[in-house]
Amino acid sequence: MVSKKFRARGIAATVAVLALGLAACSSDGGDSGDKTPDAGGGDKGGNIKVGFSQLGAESGWRTANTESVKASLTAENGIDLTFSDAQQKQENQIKALRDFIDQGVDVIAFSPVVETGWDEVLQEIKDAEIPVVLVDRTVDTTVADPYVTWIGADFKQEGITAGEWVKANHPDAKIFEMQGTLGSGAQVDREAGFDEVVGAENIVGKASGNFTRAEGKAAMEAALQAYPDMNLLFAHNDDMGLGAIEAIEAAGKVPGKDIIIVTVDGVRDGLQALVDKKFNYVVECNPVFGDQILDAIKKVHAGEELPKETIVVDEAFDQTITQADVDARAY
Ligand code: GZL
């Protein structure tokens, strides 16, 4: 059976949002990660009951995304939100998803930690006739029409943008690629875009830092030993790049000079590293789209037509960025 890969494509952005998600508040308070009581304190007479399964709190990007979601999906905005943090564990998300079905939520929002392994629960959601909006990460599933629409970044384009800068500015670099969570849409597509542009022959090694600072630092410590001639790091997010800086400095090397650093996200700490000349190029991946998720959930609930996907527009930053630019950023 052919699996369908639902991914961001570089298509013209039209604003619509679908969320595939499932409530987290398991009745037994089980291990479906951290849970936040619903903002509305139960059904607020006519509010849309939404279950949001967030994959974790692994990075500055994820924190900013969660803040944006919670700021938009409020009782005042007509939403009775049940929010779950799965702590980057797929089993926690699947459990939360089933809890949302049991609670009979009206709409589900979900950012899948990895692309695969969702077929069974997606079919259960479909059988329960709960509309689904997919947020941020992508799914690869055999279930037909698993969600109404998706919003997120064009991960492959982000990898291409990073690769083009490397090719133009450091064509002879010996590149170490630090991957995000293996099997996640962001990791798969950023790697595909970047490698396509720079050429696999210029990549001396790869390892995953799971999108976290701590694991990024550990992966870089090992890489510095394994690949002594490496002189450029492409990290799939800022947090792993920030962890790598600690390892590079501990090894007596200068980040941004001895080892050029290119990352994705553009969170405040990442852009500060750019101002401090420790990063060299940052491709943005904007996490602040809670308002678009709210808009889509309302349209889904009202049975309105929605585009299949929405691309959140990104930009990119080099070392010409100023401290004032960073201070003015929303996240
Ligand atoms: C991208 C998002 C990624 C970020 C990381 O949309 O899924 O996950 O790039 C985060 O910082 O962990």
Side-chain angles (χ1 to χ4, degrees):
M1 188 182 287
V2 177
S3 78
K4 297 182 178 64
K5 199 146 199 139
F6 298 93
R7 292 179 172 284
R9 289 281 176 264
I11 61 166
T14 51
V15 178
V17 173
L18 302 175
L20 160 64
L22 303 159
C25 278
S26 57
S27 52
D28 59 5
D31 57 356
S32 58
D34 172 40
K35 286 170 281 304
T36 305
D38 62 59
D43 184 7
K44 287 276 183 193
N47 278 3
I48 303 170
K49 285 188 70 166
V50 174
F52 193 105
S53 172
Q54 180 62 289
L55 66 90
E58 73 283 1
S59 63
W61 189 98
R62 189 67 51 197
T63 302
N65 181 248
T66 291
E67 284 168 3
S68 178
V69 166
K70 287 185 174 178
S72 297
L73 304 191
T74 62
E76 293 69 38
N77 287 337
I79 304 295
D80 176 4
L81 175 66
T82 305
F83 182 91
S84 165
D85 169 355
Q87 294 155 351
Q88 283 191 295
K89 293 187 176 67
Q90 183 173 32
E91 60 270 24
N92 284 348
Q93 288 199 281
I94 291 174
K95 184 171 172 40
L97 301 177
R98 289 182 167 134
D99 289 344
F100 286 140
I101 297 173
D102 294 344
Q103 292 166 25
V105 298
D106 300 308
V107 182
I108 294 174
F110 168 49
S111 181
V113 62
V114 291
E115 288 195 301
T116 56
W118 309 101
D119 292 353
E120 206 175 309
V121 71
L122 287 174
Q123 191 57 55
E124 291 165 20
I125 295 165
K126 195 166 183 176
D127 295 344
E129 297 181 346
I130 299 174
V132 171
V133 175
L134 190 65
V135 174
D136 175 32
R137 299 274 181 87
T138 46
V139 289
D140 180 0
T141 177
T142 57
V143 173
D145 285 333
Y147 59 87
V148 177
T149 194
W150 166 86
I151 183 170
D154 184 342
F155 302 136
K156 181 162 186 179
Q157 182 56 51
E158 292 167 343
I160 290 168
T161 302
E164 285 170 346
W165 185 88
V166 169
K167 194 170 178 181
N169 293 278
H170 299 278
D172 303 322
K174 291 180 174 50
I175 302 165
F176 177 70
E177 185 168 355
M178 196 178 296
Q179 305 154 300
T181 303
L182 292 177
S184 66
Q187 174 266 315
V188 170
D189 285 356
R190 284 174 186 165
E191 183 168 344
F194 182 80
D195 293 14
E196 200 173 275
V197 170
V198 303
E201 68 281 2
N202 295 308
I203 298 173
V204 297
K206 298 181 179 183
S208 177
N210 200 26
F211 284 131
T212 72
R213 286 195 194 198
E215 292 166 275
K217 180 181 177 184
M220 195 62 182
E221 285 165 349
L224 288 163
Q225 297 296 320
Y227 313 105
D229 57 348
M230 167 246 295
N231 57 16
L232 189 141
L233 165 67
F234 171 50
H236 289 182
N237 83 332
D238 291 342
D239 288 72
M240 294 190 295
L242 294 163
I245 285 175
E246 292 179 47
I248 292 165
E249 291 177 332
K253 295 192 173 193
V254 181
K257 285 190 173 38
D258 300 330
I259 296 184
I260 301 297
I261 302 180
V262 178
T263 68
V264 185
D265 274 354
V267 296
R268 187 180 306 281
D269 290 350
L271 296 182
Q272 189 61 51
L274 200 52
V275 169
D276 299 343
K277 310 291 187 225
K278 295 185 178 181
F279 280 179
N280 299 83
Y281 191 67
V282 176
V283 178
E284 183 188 45
C285 178
N286 190 331
V288 180
F289 50 87
D291 54 346
Q292 291 174 295
I293 296 171
L294 171 67
D295 181 58
I297 284 170
K298 292 195 165 186
K299 286 178 176 164
V300 166
H301 188 61
E304 291 179 31
E305 277 296 303
L306 285 159
K308 201 62 192 164
E309 57 180 38
T310 301
I311 304 294
V312 179
V313 179
D314 294 331
E315 55 180 308
F317 307 93
D318 61 19
Q319 288 185 348
T320 59
I321 192 171
T322 66
Q323 187 65 54
D325 295 331
V326 176
D327 295 346
R329 296 264 304 167
Y331 66 93

